[in-house]
mmCIF file of all heavy atoms in Angstrom:
data_model
loop_
_atom_site.group_PDB
_atom_site.id
_atom_site.type_symbol
_atom_site.label_atom_id
_atom_site.label_comp_id
_atom_site.label_asym_id
_atom_site.label_seq_id
_atom_site.Cartn_x
_atom_site.Cartn_y
_atom_site.Cartn_z
ATOM 1 N N GLU V 63 -43.624 38.830 -98.618
ATOM 2 C CA GLU V 63 -44.286 37.582 -99.029
ATOM 3 C C GLU V 63 -45.485 37.286 -98.121
ATOM 4 O O GLU V 63 -46.562 36.919 -98.594
ATOM 5 C CB GLU V 63 -43.279 36.433 -98.970
ATOM 6 C CG GLU V 63 -43.837 35.093 -99.366
ATOM 7 C CD GLU V 63 -43.979 34.929 -100.856
ATOM 8 O OE1 GLU V 63 -43.300 35.645 -101.604
ATOM 9 O OE2 GLU V 63 -44.780 34.070 -101.268
ATOM 10 N N LEU V 64 -45.284 37.476 -96.816
ATOM 11 C CA LEU V 64 -46.361 37.235 -95.867
ATOM 12 C C LEU V 64 -47.511 38.214 -96.091
ATOM 13 O O LEU V 64 -48.684 37.818 -96.062
ATOM 14 C CB LEU V 64 -45.836 37.338 -94.434
ATOM 15 C CG LEU V 64 -46.833 37.042 -93.329
ATOM 16 C CD1 LEU V 64 -47.406 35.637 -93.464
ATOM 17 C CD2 LEU V 64 -46.161 37.200 -91.970
ATOM 18 N N ASP V 66 -48.355 39.602 -98.878
ATOM 19 C CA ASP V 66 -49.056 39.148 -100.085
ATOM 20 C C ASP V 66 -49.978 37.969 -99.776
ATOM 21 O O ASP V 66 -51.112 37.922 -100.235
ATOM 22 C CB ASP V 66 -48.064 38.745 -101.180
ATOM 23 C CG ASP V 66 -47.374 39.933 -101.825
ATOM 24 O OD1 ASP V 66 -47.849 41.073 -101.636
ATOM 25 O OD2 ASP V 66 -46.348 39.706 -102.511
ATOM 26 N N LEU V 67 -49.470 37.014 -99.007
ATOM 27 C CA LEU V 67 -50.290 35.855 -98.652
ATOM 28 C C LEU V 67 -51.520 36.266 -97.856
ATOM 29 O O LEU V 67 -52.620 35.761 -98.084
ATOM 30 C CB LEU V 67 -49.466 34.840 -97.854
ATOM 31 C CG LEU V 67 -48.440 34.023 -98.621
ATOM 32 C CD1 LEU V 67 -47.569 33.216 -97.662
ATOM 33 C CD2 LEU V 67 -49.139 33.107 -99.609
ATOM 34 N N LEU V 68 -51.324 37.172 -96.900
ATOM 35 C CA LEU V 68 -52.460 37.612 -96.084
ATOM 36 C C LEU V 68 -53.455 38.426 -96.908
ATOM 37 O O LEU V 68 -54.660 38.299 -96.733
ATOM 38 C CB LEU V 68 -51.961 38.424 -94.891
ATOM 39 C CG LEU V 68 -51.185 37.637 -93.843
ATOM 40 C CD1 LEU V 68 -50.603 38.563 -92.792
ATOM 41 C CD2 LEU V 68 -52.062 36.572 -93.201
ATOM 42 N N ARG V 69 -52.946 39.251 -97.793
ATOM 43 C CA ARG V 69 -53.812 40.073 -98.642
ATOM 44 C C ARG V 69 -54.660 39.186 -99.564
ATOM 45 O O ARG V 69 -55.823 39.458 -99.811
ATOM 46 C CB ARG V 69 -52.961 41.044 -99.456
ATOM 47 C CG ARG V 69 -53.733 42.085 -100.206
ATOM 48 C CD ARG V 69 -52.886 43.158 -100.896
ATOM 49 N NE ARG V 69 -51.500 42.840 -101.171
ATOM 50 C CZ ARG V 69 -50.449 43.232 -100.413
ATOM 51 N NH1 ARG V 69 -50.657 43.940 -99.326
ATOM 52 N NH2 ARG V 69 -49.211 42.916 -100.747
ATOM 53 N N ASN V 70 -54.077 38.102 -100.048
ATOM 54 C CA ASN V 70 -54.771 37.227 -100.981
ATOM 55 C C ASN V 70 -55.520 36.087 -100.297
ATOM 56 O O ASN V 70 -56.130 35.266 -100.967
ATOM 57 C CB ASN V 70 -53.772 36.637 -101.995
ATOM 58 C CG ASN V 70 -53.136 37.706 -102.853
ATOM 59 O OD1 ASN V 70 -53.761 38.725 -103.143
ATOM 60 N ND2 ASN V 70 -51.890 37.500 -103.239
ATOM 61 N N SER V 71 -55.489 36.042 -98.985
ATOM 62 C CA SER V 71 -56.112 34.912 -98.283
ATOM 63 C C SER V 71 -57.635 34.926 -98.377
ATOM 64 O O SER V 71 -58.266 33.895 -98.246
ATOM 65 C CB SER V 71 -55.677 34.878 -96.817
ATOM 66 O OG SER V 71 -56.178 36.013 -96.123
ATOM 67 N N GLY V 72 -58.217 36.072 -98.617
ATOM 68 C CA GLY V 72 -59.674 36.140 -98.720
ATOM 69 C C GLY V 72 -60.193 35.927 -100.122
ATOM 70 O O GLY V 72 -61.391 35.939 -100.349
ATOM 71 N N ASP V 81 -57.674 23.412 -101.040
ATOM 72 C CA ASP V 81 -57.012 24.665 -101.396
ATOM 73 C C ASP V 81 -56.919 25.587 -100.187
ATOM 74 O O ASP V 81 -55.896 26.233 -99.965
ATOM 75 C CB ASP V 81 -57.749 25.381 -102.530
ATOM 76 C CG ASP V 81 -57.570 24.689 -103.872
ATOM 77 O OD1 ASP V 81 -56.621 23.890 -104.006
ATOM 78 O OD2 ASP V 81 -58.388 24.950 -104.782
ATOM 79 N N SER V 82 -57.974 25.650 -99.411
ATOM 80 C CA SER V 82 -57.981 26.492 -98.210
ATOM 81 C C SER V 82 -56.946 25.992 -97.207
ATOM 82 O O SER V 82 -56.217 26.784 -96.605
ATOM 83 C CB SER V 82 -59.363 26.498 -97.556
ATOM 84 O OG SER V 82 -60.296 27.090 -98.408
ATOM 85 N N GLY V 83 -56.884 24.693 -97.041
ATOM 86 C CA GLY V 83 -55.907 24.118 -96.122
ATOM 87 C C GLY V 83 -54.487 24.356 -96.585
ATOM 88 O O GLY V 83 -53.593 24.656 -95.788
ATOM 89 N N SER V 84 -54.262 24.239 -97.877
ATOM 90 C CA SER V 84 -52.941 24.482 -98.448
ATOM 91 C C SER V 84 -52.524 25.938 -98.242
ATOM 92 O O SER V 84 -51.383 26.224 -97.888
ATOM 93 C CB SER V 84 -52.950 24.137 -99.930
ATOM 94 O OG SER V 84 -51.705 24.400 -100.510
ATOM 95 N N SER V 85 -53.472 26.852 -98.443
ATOM 96 C CA SER V 85 -53.182 28.278 -98.240
ATOM 97 C C SER V 85 -52.871 28.568 -96.778
ATOM 98 O O SER V 85 -51.964 29.337 -96.471
ATOM 99 C CB SER V 85 -54.368 29.126 -98.689
ATOM 100 O OG SER V 85 -54.557 29.005 -100.075
ATOM 101 N N ALA V 86 -53.623 27.948 -95.891
ATOM 102 C CA ALA V 86 -53.380 28.155 -94.459
ATOM 103 C C ALA V 86 -51.995 27.628 -94.066
ATOM 104 O O ALA V 86 -51.274 28.260 -93.296
ATOM 105 C CB ALA V 86 -54.465 27.473 -93.636
ATOM 106 N N LEU V 87 -51.625 26.481 -94.603
ATOM 107 C CA LEU V 87 -50.307 25.911 -94.317
ATOM 108 C C LEU V 87 -49.203 26.819 -94.840
ATOM 109 O O LEU V 87 -48.206 27.054 -94.156
ATOM 110 C CB LEU V 87 -50.187 24.517 -94.935
ATOM 111 C CG LEU V 87 -48.844 23.815 -94.724
ATOM 112 C CD1 LEU V 87 -48.586 23.583 -93.242
ATOM 113 C CD2 LEU V 87 -48.818 22.501 -95.477
ATOM 114 N N GLU V 88 -49.389 27.354 -96.022
ATOM 115 C CA GLU V 88 -48.386 28.253 -96.608
ATOM 116 C C GLU V 88 -48.226 29.510 -95.750
ATOM 117 O O GLU V 88 -47.111 29.974 -95.506
ATOM 118 C CB GLU V 88 -48.795 28.619 -98.032
ATOM 119 C CG GLU V 88 -47.718 29.352 -98.795
ATOM 120 C CD GLU V 88 -48.108 29.605 -100.246
ATOM 121 O OE1 GLU V 88 -49.155 29.125 -100.707
ATOM 122 O OE2 GLU V 88 -47.338 30.304 -100.920
ATOM 123 N N ARG V 89 -49.337 30.070 -95.276
ATOM 124 C CA ARG V 89 -49.278 31.250 -94.405
ATOM 125 C C ARG V 89 -48.553 30.915 -93.100
ATOM 126 O O ARG V 89 -47.722 31.691 -92.631
ATOM 127 C CB ARG V 89 -50.691 31.765 -94.108
ATOM 128 C CG ARG V 89 -51.304 32.557 -95.220
ATOM 129 C CD ARG V 89 -52.579 33.266 -94.775
ATOM 130 N NE ARG V 89 -53.581 32.375 -94.191
ATOM 131 C CZ ARG V 89 -54.483 31.687 -94.869
ATOM 132 N NH1 ARG V 89 -54.535 31.784 -96.191
ATOM 133 N NH2 ARG V 89 -55.352 30.923 -94.259
ATOM 134 N N GLU V 90 -48.870 29.761 -92.528
ATOM 135 C CA GLU V 90 -48.232 29.349 -91.274
ATOM 136 C C GLU V 90 -46.727 29.175 -91.451
ATOM 137 O O GLU V 90 -45.940 29.579 -90.599
ATOM 138 C CB GLU V 90 -48.866 28.052 -90.764
ATOM 139 C CG GLU V 90 -48.359 27.605 -89.418
ATOM 140 C CD GLU V 90 -48.636 28.595 -88.301
ATOM 141 O OE1 GLU V 90 -49.677 29.280 -88.335
ATOM 142 O OE2 GLU V 90 -47.791 28.690 -87.383
ATOM 143 N N GLN V 91 -46.320 28.582 -92.571
ATOM 144 C CA GLN V 91 -44.893 28.414 -92.845
ATOM 145 C C GLN V 91 -44.207 29.771 -93.000
ATOM 146 O O GLN V 91 -43.094 29.969 -92.519
ATOM 147 C CB GLN V 91 -44.682 27.566 -94.103
ATOM 148 C CG GLN V 91 -45.007 26.109 -93.904
ATOM 149 C CD GLN V 91 -44.934 25.313 -95.188
ATOM 150 O OE1 GLN V 91 -45.196 25.826 -96.273
ATOM 151 N NE2 GLN V 91 -44.597 24.041 -95.065
ATOM 152 N N GLU V 92 -44.879 30.700 -93.637
ATOM 153 C CA GLU V 92 -44.297 32.032 -93.835
ATOM 154 C C GLU V 92 -44.206 32.777 -92.499
ATOM 155 O O GLU V 92 -43.215 33.453 -92.236
ATOM 156 C CB GLU V 92 -45.139 32.818 -94.849
ATOM 157 C CG GLU V 92 -44.390 33.910 -95.555
ATOM 158 C CD GLU V 92 -43.172 33.443 -96.341
ATOM 159 O OE1 GLU V 92 -43.213 32.367 -96.956
ATOM 160 O OE2 GLU V 92 -42.173 34.170 -96.333
ATOM 161 N N PHE V 93 -45.222 32.631 -91.631
ATOM 162 C CA PHE V 93 -45.161 33.202 -90.281
ATOM 163 C C PHE V 93 -43.951 32.653 -89.523
ATOM 164 O O PHE V 93 -43.217 33.400 -88.875
ATOM 165 C CB PHE V 93 -46.427 32.875 -89.467
ATOM 166 C CG PHE V 93 -47.544 33.853 -89.608
ATOM 167 C CD1 PHE V 93 -48.804 33.421 -90.006
ATOM 168 C CD2 PHE V 93 -47.370 35.191 -89.319
ATOM 169 C CE1 PHE V 93 -49.856 34.309 -90.139
ATOM 170 C CE2 PHE V 93 -48.413 36.094 -89.441
ATOM 171 C CZ PHE V 93 -49.664 35.652 -89.853
ATOM 172 N N THR V 94 -43.759 31.357 -89.613
ATOM 173 C CA THR V 94 -42.637 30.717 -88.925
ATOM 174 C C THR V 94 -41.308 31.241 -89.460
ATOM 175 O O THR V 94 -40.398 31.548 -88.683
ATOM 176 C CB THR V 94 -42.713 29.185 -89.088
ATOM 177 O OG1 THR V 94 -43.941 28.731 -88.519
ATOM 178 C CG2 THR V 94 -41.560 28.493 -88.404
ATOM 179 N N LEU V 95 -41.191 31.367 -90.759
ATOM 180 C CA LEU V 95 -39.968 31.889 -91.369
ATOM 181 C C LEU V 95 -39.682 33.312 -90.901
ATOM 182 O O LEU V 95 -38.550 33.642 -90.524
ATOM 183 C CB LEU V 95 -40.079 31.846 -92.894
ATOM 184 C CG LEU V 95 -38.907 32.426 -93.673
ATOM 185 C CD1 LEU V 95 -37.644 31.606 -93.425
ATOM 186 C CD2 LEU V 95 -39.227 32.470 -95.151
#
Side-chain angles (χ1 to χ4, degrees):
E63 180 78 22
L64 183 59
D66 287 345
L67 286 172
L68 292 173
R69 189 173 21 261
N70 297 328
S71 66
D81 288 341
S82 295
S84 178
S85 295
L87 179 62
E88 190 175 354
R89 282 191 305 274
E90 185 62 33
Q91 288 174 329
E92 204 59 38
F93 271 125
T94 300
L95 177 64

